[in-house]
Amino acid sequence: MASYDDVMSLSVRRGFLWPAVDLYGGFAGFYDYGHNGFLMRRRWEDLWTETFLGLSDNYYLIDTTTILPEAPLKASGHVDHFSDLLVTCTRCGESYRGDQLLEGATHEEHEGLTPAELDARIRELKIRCPNCKGELGPARPFNMMFPLDVGPTGKDRAYLRPETAQGVYLNFRREFEALRRKLPMGLAIVGRAYRNEISPRQGAYRMREFLQAELQIFFDPATFGAGLPFDAIASAPVRIAWAAEKNQPGAHEIFPKDLVASDLPPWYVYHLAAVQRFYLDRLRVPRDAFRFAELDEKERAFYNRIHFDIQVKQESLGGFKEVGGVHYRTDHDLKGHEAMSHAKQSVTFDGSRLIPHVLELSFGVDRNVWALLDLSYSKGERIVLRLPPRLAPVSVGVFPLVNKDGLPEKAEALHVSLRKRFAAFYDDSGSIGRRYARMDEIGTPFTVTVDHESLEGKGVTVRERDSQKQIRLTESELADTLTQLLAGDKTFGA
RNA sequence: GCGUGGGUAGUCUAGCGGUAGGACGUUGGCCUUCCAAGCCUACGACGCGGGUUCAACUCCCGCCCCACGCACCA
């Protein structure tokens, strides 16, 4: 059980994460990673990449610009749907979205109005503040995207990308050609995205600059399901909370075939199972702390036909919180870019001509890092970060038992040799217990101690973080055994 | 953005209109044969800006930042 302050305090103290620019009082919505946070994050990204690119031989990482001109973001719908006109009540100060006020009054859709047009309509319809009946102030544009003026004249309107996905869609045709016209084709980006959140909150949970890891899978809906090894996931139930239950704490355990029976496409269910396996098996998230939460039609974006959030239960954030999503975006994005750019996005594959559909596996990297810090945090006599070994910033700590009799020299030599294969860290400061405690706090799974017996060729001790138990290994077997322990191929003490 | 509460070393915290104290951590040393021991040593803070005052960390104003609630989160 970790409170928000527990996680943040450890993060700051041990070099994981802290508010950016705090020298100048901070900068809301922006966080910096320290040395351990960066290592842990990179290990998460590596594991993510290995897992999801591993779903197919035709899935790859690409990297695209973080600044996009206006046109593609108009095509994607972000310029119109990500920008709202806000109207503030002059009496009670409450703010409303202009289009929603008009819709409430006329039951018609109102999009693309200028601020002046909206003001005129509000006067015409005599709309008052729904909260206090006060007079409404002038409309002002609010854009969730950060606008930029590119070039010397500043006339080329551009934005920081609000999601990495568009970079993939813009490169679909190039990659389809370069990857020799095969479907399904997967293109992933791990990179930064930017949203001008109205009120950033809860540390790394809602930030204005954040990292996404997104895999866009392009496929033919007619054949995608048949090409997937559905049997491989059929026996494991998937944890689901339906839209109506999202404020309840639990989840149903539903077998894949029953999800298909409830109208989800087999290929969609297959990917839910793959995502769940990533969380439960690779990230070692406790089963009851993981679920998919369905979004109903009102909640999901207009282009998503099917949308389940990936949620992880975090004490520090007050329960199940979104860390990613599985989105069936249909052919919305490619169609939009075709219409705007006039560049054909349809392709011929297996004898049929189509604009591929897209399944997006989307993950907030910072949110995932935070969730793992939260879940790993355990506090007894001392704080222990029970990270999965793959994610720990340091894999092996190396210590001399005492600082005399040549033990430091021997331990340092061992450290130098272990460094070639592991993220190893040497420490001879303070007592041995203190050094174990320091390693526990950053989640180092194993520590090796050189003692007097080591000088006599009787090996070294290896301590396991979670059990605090020790075994003695000869120096010749040490490296291979550590490799097996870290990979989970061997159980400690066995 | 609105409301409530808050901001003192790296972390946690005491305090006062007049020299800012502690604990833990960190540094260096002594000691030490396995889990934050002990002794010595050193480093280290009043979020920012303005005002009142002989004097402001303390009172007043503005801003920034944080948590929580509301709103927002295509």
Side-chain angles (χ1 to χ4, degrees):
Chain A
M1 297 287 250
S3 71
Y4 178 88
D5 288 339
D6 285 338
V7 177
M8 193 46 111
S9 163
L10 180 70
S11 284
V12 170
R13 219 153 35 77
R14 289 299 179 196
F16 284 92
L17 186 80
W18 48 69
V21 206
D22 61 356
L23 220 58
Y24 288 85
F27 191 26
F30 298 87
Y31 280 78
D32 286 342
Y33 283 85
H35 65 290
N36 283 325
F38 176 76
L39 283 169
M40 180 183 161
R41 190 186 92 204
R42 195 174 61 186
R43 300 200 200 300
W44 187 94
E45 291 169 1
D46 289 346
L47 192 57
W48 181 87
T49 302
E50 183 185 304
T51 302
F52 290 101
L53 296 196
L55 292 175
S56 161
D57 288 342
N58 203 37
Y59 292 178
Y60 292 92
L61 276 171
I62 66 170
D63 191 29
T64 70
T65 62
T66 55
I67 295 175
L68 290 171
E70 185 156 46
L73 292 166
K74 258 194 139 27
S76 68
H78 284 90
V79 171
D80 292 329
H81 293 272
F82 230 59
S83 316
D84 294 315
L85 289 173
L86 287 187
V87 180
T88 302
C89 173
T90 55
R91 189 154 90 191
C92 70
E94 198 66 57
S95 288
Y96 305 94
R97 277 174 48 182
D99 59 336
Q100 287 179 349
L101 286 175
L102 290 191
E103 258 178 70
T106 65
H107 303 288
E108 290 164 20
E109 290 220 6
H110 297 269
E111 272 174 13
L113 292 180
T114 66
E117 287 165 349
L118 179 63
D119 288 340
R121 292 285 286 158
I122 285 175
R123 277 196 303 277
E124 198 180 306
L125 293 161
K126 298 191 168 52
I127 299 174
R128 314 280 292 187
C129 172
N131 183 39
C132 75
K133 306 290 171 217
E135 191 164 339
L136 294 167
R140 62 180 195 285
F142 179 77
N143 196 335
M144 284 281 287
M145 293 192 292
F146 289 101
L148 294 168
D149 296 322
V150 174
T153 62
K155 273 196 286 190
D156 302 319
R157 182 72 142 170
Y159 299 92
L160 290 174
R161 67 181 177 194
E163 59 174 10
T164 61
Q166 296 307 321
V168 166
Y169 306 140
L170 292 171
N171 287 282
F172 166 72
R173 290 204 324 165
R174 290 282 183 217
E175 282 291 353
F176 188 72
E177 206 51 38
L179 285 171
R180 294 157 50 208
R181 308 185 193 180
K182 288 195 282 273
L183 293 180
M185 177 178 83
L187 297 177
I189 293 179
V190 178
R192 289 178 190 273
Y194 304 83
R195 293 181 192 177
N196 197 3
E197 296 288 351
I198 293 172
S199 69
R201 281 288 166 87
Q202 296 189 306
Y205 186 71
R206 183 174 303 158
M207 301 201 287
R208 291 185 165 130
E209 174 174 351
F210 55 101
L211 275 150
Q212 293 187 308
E214 298 191 310
L215 171 64
Q216 316 291 329
I217 303 169
F218 299 90
F219 63 94
D220 178 349
T223 61
F224 191 27
L228 294 169
F230 195 82
D231 286 349
I233 57 106
S235 61
V238 177
R239 291 178 55 82
I240 299 282
W242 300 110
E245 314 166 318
K246 68 167 185 300
N247 291 321
Q248 294 162 25
H252 303 282
E253 300 271 353
I254 305 179
F255 280 101
K257 66 173 166 44
D258 297 323
L259 286 171
V260 172
S262 71
D263 252 10
L264 292 173
W267 50 261
Y268 188 88
V269 175
Y270 175 83
H271 287 89
L272 287 183
V275 168
Q276 178 171 295
R277 208 160 42 193
F278 175 62
Y279 279 90
L280 299 190
D281 297 350
R282 315 287 320 253
L283 300 178
R284 311 244 182 119
V285 170
R287 192 172 184 88
D288 65 359
F290 177 87
R291 71 178 188 183
F292 292 105
E294 183 194 32
L295 272 72
D296 64 30
E297 196 171 350
K298 275 193 121 136
E299 296 167 315
R300 63 184 190 245
F302 62 96
Y303 55 72
N304 279 332
R305 188 167 298 166
I306 310 173
H307 180 167
F308 283 75
D309 275 344
I310 302 162
Q311 295 188 333
V312 173
K313 188 158 71 178
Q314 297 157 73
E315 200 59 36
S316 64
L317 302 182
F320 274 106
K321 297 292 264 185
E322 176 193 354
V323 295
V326 180
H327 313 134
Y328 174 32
R329 296 176 71 131
T330 70
D331 57 1
H332 167 82
D333 295 280
L334 290 184
K335 250 190 184 153
H337 288 306
E338 178 172 285
M340 178 73 65
S341 69
H342 308 298
K344 280 267 175 288
Q345 300 296 311
S346 55
V347 300
T348 302
F349 181 69
D350 257 2
S352 61
R353 184 90 185 151
L354 77 158
I355 291 183
H357 283 220
V358 169
L359 175 65
E360 173 185 65
L361 308 184
S362 174
F363 301 77
V365 177
D366 318 279
R367 289 178 172 189
N368 275 273
V369 168
W370 180 275
L372 288 163
L373 288 173
D374 174 294
L375 292 172
S376 302
Y377 189 101
S378 81
K379 194 178 188 175
E381 277 183 24
R382 57 169 73 143
I383 295 167
V384 181
L385 204 57
R386 300 173 187 268
L387 288 171
R390 271 286 301 262
L391 294 182
V394 173
S395 302
V396 186
V398 184
F399 312 140
L401 183 58
V402 289
N403 287 314
K404 59 179 186 186
D405 305 332
L407 295 185
E409 291 75 10
K410 178 140 184 76
E412 275 191 271
L414 183 60
H415 170 240
V416 167
S417 81
L418 289 176
R419 275 181 74 158
K420 293 172 191 149
R421 287 176 61 175
F422 307 98
F425 179 77
Y426 175 81
D427 192 2
D428 62 14
S429 148
S431 69
I432 188 74
R434 182 181 299 252
R435 303 195 295 254
Y436 287 145
R438 282 196 278 251
M439 288 293 101
D440 286 344
E441 284 200 347
I442 64 168
T444 304
F446 300 104
T447 40
V448 173
T449 302
V450 171
D451 57 20
H452 287 88
E453 291 180 53
S454 310
L455 297 177
E456 300 162 19
K458 293 181 182 167
V460 295
T461 61
V462 179
R463 170 191 183 265
E464 186 190 39
R465 176 194 67 202
D466 295 346
S467 65
Q468 299 194 357
K469 289 196 175 126
Q470 287 181 306
I471 55 173
R472 185 168 283 274
L473 294 176
T474 66
E475 284 182 61
S476 57
E477 64 185 341
L478 178 63
D480 286 343
T481 304
L482 282 173
T483 300
Q484 291 174 304
L485 287 170
L486 288 166
D489 295 339
K490 189 179 171 73
T491 312
F492 190 79

